[in-house]
Amino acid sequence: MRQRLDRSTGTDIAQKESHGSRIFYAVAGSAMTPLMSLATAPILAQSLGVVGRGELAAGMAPMLFAVAVGALGIPEALTYFIARQARGARRAVRRAFWILTLLGIAAAALVTLSASLLADGNAEIRQLILVTAALTVPTFWASVPNSVLAGNHAWKQSALIDFGLSALRLLVLAVMAAANTLTPLAATIAMLGFPLLKGLVTLPYLIRYRRGSRNATAARVRLFNYGSRLWVGSLAGVVLLRLDQLLMVPFANAAQLGLYSVAVSLGEIPALLSSAVRNVVFSSDAESSHQHEHQQRLQQTARLTSAASALASLGIGVSLPWAIPLFFGETFGAAVAVCWVILAGVALGSAGSVAGAGLSARGRPGLRSCGMVIGALLNTAILMVTVPTMGAMGAALATLVGSAVAGTMNIVWLRTHFGMTMRGFYGLRRHDLQLVHTTISKMTDRKK
């Protein structure tokens, strides 16, 4: 079907959706990769075993850590200025590409140099780390078209692409498992390679955006200025999400990392909701965030996201005692309790995650970063003490504490600097449920 393009923006007219529709499509798109990963998790666990699954996670962890840290907030900054229709935003796309190329080369070099240390004498893990180093620069490149999509609120198109690529990756992994050719190396290439294809698929969209024209606002593009303030928080967020898997092998062993990887793959499913909502809030509030109704919208979005995450966490938690042994095997039974702790952390941190996006969109990424740093310091301290003795459970407890503290700090900053009440981010109101009912009804009627 031919797209109808807005001549002033170079974007698809169909992408101009309401805030609720944006969240729906962002959640749908963001859900594809985790849900397909959930489908692949039993395949990986049963084909690779506990130790092999741990080696896979250990091999990918340095590259994922380097990508998250090494981008210096440039992709998020690009999204921010595109959403604000800033002067020079279109030219900044090319500048962001070359900046990320240089940063990607540096990150790839660091991943390569870290291989021997983080592998802790394991030759297979070292090989996997070196393979992922080669994928580092393309992963940086892929973030540019993703930023353009997010900045233009093209969530529906992004969701369709995510679904297609995630389904294709699942099919490839299933075929390799059936043919007994699924190894940690093959799994690594599949898990990290397919997301790169999104950059190629969305390249035409990026070109259309670059060639378009638009009435620009007075805001100027300062990628490093904004990105550096956001990067501190991103670094702390990476510590919260990735440091445990990075250090698990040196501090414990590959088997504990295998258990923890399975627990994370299940426990962070509810987090896809807050992640998708956070992306929408960031781009939408960056466009217009100072009106009173937008502040109320932020609080309402945080409440609904928190409630949905809590319900999802409860449903997953109840099913774990029979689901993990059934789908992953009896050897992964110890991951049940670890997953419960991770689910609790996700539920407690959801409202604060959305609040953090609100801070960044209001031009105060430094405040969000401050809260993330506090949470990361607590996470690291607990991690160092508990992982050597408790293994995967110690890492889960560290993540729980760090996430809860970091999220709460975001809400505190919004209260202090923007006058938003803290209680406005928690609980449910009658009009929240009415909004959900109205949004679903409108979308259902539209499809009919």
Side-chain angles (χ1 to χ4, degrees):
M1 187 170 73
R2 186 175 180 179
Q3 290 179 313
R4 295 181 299 145
L5 299 181
D6 188 328
R7 293 181 180 179
S8 66
T9 65
T11 61
D12 189 348
I13 292 175
Q15 299 298 342
K16 295 183 177 180
E17 307 281 354
S18 68
H19 186 70
S21 296
R22 288 175 180 175
I23 290 177
F24 172 82
Y25 288 120
V27 170
S30 297
M32 287 305 106
T33 299
L35 290 179
M36 290 298 178
S37 296
L38 178 62
T40 61
I43 297 175
L44 295 173
Q46 297 201 23
S47 297
L48 304 179
V50 176
V51 174
R53 185 63 183 86
E55 290 175 346
L56 171 63
M60 295 193 301
M63 179 266 203
L64 295 175
F65 188 91
V67 168
V69 171
L72 299 183
I74 299 300
E76 292 84 358
L78 184 60
T79 297
Y80 175 78
F81 287 112
I82 289 174
R84 287 182 65 88
Q85 305 173 31
R87 276 188 298 154
R90 297 175 189 277
R91 293 191 301 274
V93 172
R94 178 182 295 178
R95 182 152 38 105
F97 175 83
W98 290 114
I99 291 172
L100 289 170
T101 298
L102 295 176
L103 294 174
I105 293 172
L110 290 175
V111 170
T112 302
L113 293 174
S114 71
S116 297
L117 175 64
L118 296 177
D120 196 35
N122 188 313
E124 288 202 20
I125 293 178
R126 183 177 183 278
Q127 181 190 31
L128 295 179
I129 294 175
L130 294 177
V131 169
T132 63
L135 299 175
T136 303
V137 175
T139 301
F140 273 71
W141 289 341
S143 67
V144 175
N146 285 339
S147 294
V148 174
L149 285 172
N152 284 299
H153 318 300
W155 304 109
K156 184 175 182 179
Q157 183 175 5
S158 183
L160 293 173
I161 295 171
D162 287 337
F163 174 77
L165 293 177
S166 298
L168 183 60
R169 183 176 64 181
L170 173 61
L171 178 62
V172 169
L173 289 172
V175 170
M176 287 193 293
N180 292 321
T181 59
L182 185 57
T183 63
L185 176 59
T188 297
I189 295 173
M191 296 295 289
L192 297 179
F194 276 99
L196 300 181
L197 295 178
K198 185 176 181 180
L200 295 176
V201 174
T202 56
L203 191 59
Y205 185 95
L206 186 149
I207 294 173
R208 284 201 306 274
Y209 171 75
R210 285 264 303 157
R211 291 176 177 175
S213 61
R214 192 176 202 173
N215 294 326
T217 64
R220 295 179 63 85
V221 176
R222 295 182 174 90
L223 292 177
F224 275 115
N225 179 279
Y226 185 89
S228 61
R229 288 182 288 150
L230 193 65
W231 176 79
V232 177
S234 299
L235 175 60
V238 171
V239 170
L240 286 170
L241 295 176
R242 302 289 182 192
L243 185 64
D244 44 17
Q245 297 190 46
L246 192 68
L247 299 179
M248 188 73 74
V249 171
F251 276 46
N253 53 59
Q256 285 296 314
L257 181 53
L259 293 173
Y260 188 67
S261 299
V262 167
V264 168
S265 67
L266 297 172
E268 291 190 346
I269 292 173
L272 67 90
L273 177 64
S274 59
S275 177
V277 172
R278 184 175 64 240
N279 292 337
V280 175
V281 167
F282 179 52
S283 61
S284 295
D285 280 19
E287 192 174 26
S288 56
S289 61
H290 302 293
Q291 299 178 22
H292 179 65
E293 59 267 25
H294 291 152
Q295 294 186 0
Q296 292 182 326
R297 184 183 68 185
L298 175 63
Q299 291 179 311
Q300 183 178 55
T301 303
R303 292 196 302 268
L304 290 171
T305 303
S306 182
S309 296
L311 286 175
S313 297
L314 181 62
I316 293 171
V318 170
S319 67
L320 289 178
W322 62 265
I324 286 184
L326 177 64
F327 293 106
F328 294 86
E330 296 291 340
T331 55
F332 286 90
V336 173
V338 177
C339 190
W340 282 339
V341 176
I342 294 173
L343 286 169
V346 170
L348 290 174
S350 292
S353 177
V354 176
L359 276 174
S360 296
R362 284 161 175 76
R364 303 301 295 270
L367 291 176
R368 173 181 174 271
S369 297
C370 182
M372 295 292 286
V373 167
I374 294 173
L377 290 174
L378 283 173
N379 172 275
T380 303
I382 298 172
L383 193 70
M384 297 294 185
V385 173
T386 58
V387 169
T389 56
M390 301 176 65
M393 178 57 75
L397 290 171
T399 301
L400 167 64
V401 175
S403 298
V405 170
T408 302
M409 290 303 299
N410 289 332
I411 296 174
V412 170
W413 299 137
L414 284 172
R415 177 184 181 277
T416 303
H417 295 272
F418 296 94
M420 301 187 194
T421 61
M422 292 186 66
R423 67 175 179 272
F425 288 89
Y426 301 105
L428 283 176
R429 317 292 194 267
R430 178 179 298 178
H431 57 274
D432 295 339
L433 302 178
Q434 290 174 342
L435 175 65
V436 173
H437 179 267
T438 300
T439 302
I440 294 175
S441 298
K442 286 182 177 179
M443 298 189 71
T444 304
D445 293 339
R446 188 184 304 165
K447 290 181 179 180
K448 290 180 180 179

